[in-house]
Amino acid sequence: MNTSKNHTNPSMTVLALGCHPDDIEFMMGGTLLLLRDAGVSLHYCNLADGSLGSGTLSKNDLVKTRALEAKQAATLLDAVYHKSMGEDLGIFYEPVIIRKVASLIRTVDPDILLLPAIDDYMEDHMNTARIGITAAFSRSMPLYETLPPRPPTTKPVAVYHAMPYGLKNGQNIMMYPEFFINVTSVIEEKSQLLSCHKSQKDWLDASQQVGSYVKNMRTMGRDVGTLSKQFLYAEGWRRHNPLGYSAENYNPLVELLHTSFGEWP
């Protein structure tokens, strides 16, 4: 099944909720660029502040640096930037941060919520996904108290999960998306988005043997494109179970962008 309804919809709002600064750019950046070009309003938030991602900068300097880098990327996306809510390796599935994210979701009131993969190589990423899921589920509950307080919303929201970083889960098993978005036309701009995070270039090479982080991102994009059997570069997505979020047939990400559905054993 292919869909190519690249129509402008300025009334739609998307919230991209990542974990660390640069996670959104790695796994969601192409999709967000296409949504921007379709006239959709974008919001950008990383839950963690990137406070452990350096071997040379002090913690305080690093937090400031990574916030500036994330703001620069959000500006290129023409997205509203929202500040982080916790530290690296400090993002846990617990009430306080869920209430904070619930407040953000009620404030933004998105039609589409983009989250990391539920099954990823890193617990911070998985916890971010779980936090986002619960926060979105509670958006219409008047008795659920958010931090800061915000009134509930009953607007449907479609929740989607990106591919895990490295395209494998924590057990090193290859993960396959439900559908693909063709990001070939924006791969150069996606590279520019990721390049905003200059502080990570040497750190990722030293800590995770990533090498060129932009080259690594492009390799993953090409690998996902190969899986699609149709696109040169692609990003993969899975739609979250719509129960409690929207009607079964509410699938705006697929309706907005050029997609292809995979067929897996």
Side-chain angles (χ1 to χ4, degrees):
M1 171 181 172
N2 296 319
T3 305
S4 55
K5 301 180 182 179
N6 292 304
H7 56 279
T8 298
N9 195 333
S11 65
M12 276 210 151
T13 300
V14 174
L15 172 60
L17 188 68
C19 186
H20 312 98
D22 75 15
D23 287 345
I24 288 175
E25 290 77 6
F26 259 113
M27 309 312 298
M28 308 179 186
T31 297
L32 289 170
L33 286 164
L34 293 170
L35 288 169
R36 178 206 65 188
D37 292 346
V40 174
S41 298
L42 301 180
H43 289 255
Y44 172 110
C45 182
N46 301 300
L47 286 194
D49 58 10
S51 55
L52 299 181
S54 177
T56 56
L57 295 175
S58 71
K59 193 171 184 179
N60 287 339
D61 287 344
L62 180 60
V63 169
K64 293 176 183 177
T65 297
R66 300 206 69 187
L68 288 173
E69 292 170 345
K71 288 177 182 177
Q72 182 182 1
T75 298
L76 289 178
L77 281 167
D78 197 19
V80 178
Y81 172 85
H82 299 273
K83 66 180 181 180
S84 300
M85 302 181 190
E87 298 183 344
D88 287 5
L89 299 184
I91 303 301
F92 297 105
Y93 185 78
E94 56 187 9
V96 171
I97 196 166
I98 295 172
R99 294 184 190 278
K100 289 180 178 179
V101 175
S103 180
L104 174 63
I105 288 174
R106 291 184 182 189
T107 299
V108 173
D109 203 14
D111 301 276
I112 295 172
L113 175 63
L114 303 181
L115 297 173
I118 291 182
D119 199 351
D120 197 295
Y121 86 105
M122 190 173 187
E123 193 163 347
D124 273 4
H125 297 180
M126 294 187 288
N127 287 340
T128 296
R130 294 178 63 212
I131 289 165
I133 289 166
T134 301
F137 191 86
S138 71
R139 75 197 183 285
S140 62
M141 298 176 178
L143 298 180
Y144 185 76
E145 298 179 0
T146 65
L147 295 173
R150 292 289 184 270
T153 175
T154 58
K155 187 169 77 172
V157 59
V159 182
Y160 300 91
H161 297 279
M163 288 285 281
Y165 181 85
L167 312 183
K168 294 181 179 181
N169 67 10
Q171 289 73 51
N172 205 35
I173 297 171
M174 185 71 184
M175 302 297 287
Y176 295 96
E178 176 190 0
F179 65 92
F180 303 86
I181 290 178
N182 182 9
V183 300
T184 306
S185 64
V186 293
I187 191 64
E188 297 303 329
E189 197 169 0
K190 182 179 178 181
S191 298
Q192 292 173 16
L193 281 180
L194 186 56
S195 295
C196 290
H197 299 273
K198 295 181 177 64
S199 67
Q200 293 307 282
K201 182 179 183 298
D202 295 334
W203 169 250
L204 289 174
D205 188 17
S207 65
Q208 298 183 34
Q209 293 76 53
V210 167
S212 169
Y213 65 136
V214 173
K215 181 179 178 181
N216 190 56
M217 176 275 291
R218 294 174 72 106
T219 298
M220 278 195 287
R222 188 180 283 272
D223 288 345
V224 178
T226 299
L227 288 176
S228 76
K229 300 179 182 179
Q230 195 173 133
F231 307 134
L232 181 58
Y233 290 96
E235 289 177 355
W237 294 93
R238 283 187 173 273
R239 182 180 174 217
H240 195 81
N241 187 328
L243 288 175
Y245 302 94
S246 69
E248 179 69 36
N249 63 352
Y250 184 63
N251 203 355
L253 191 57
V254 168
E255 293 175 358
L256 281 165
L257 301 180
H258 186 191
T259 62
S260 173
F261 279 73
E263 296 180 3
W264 314 117

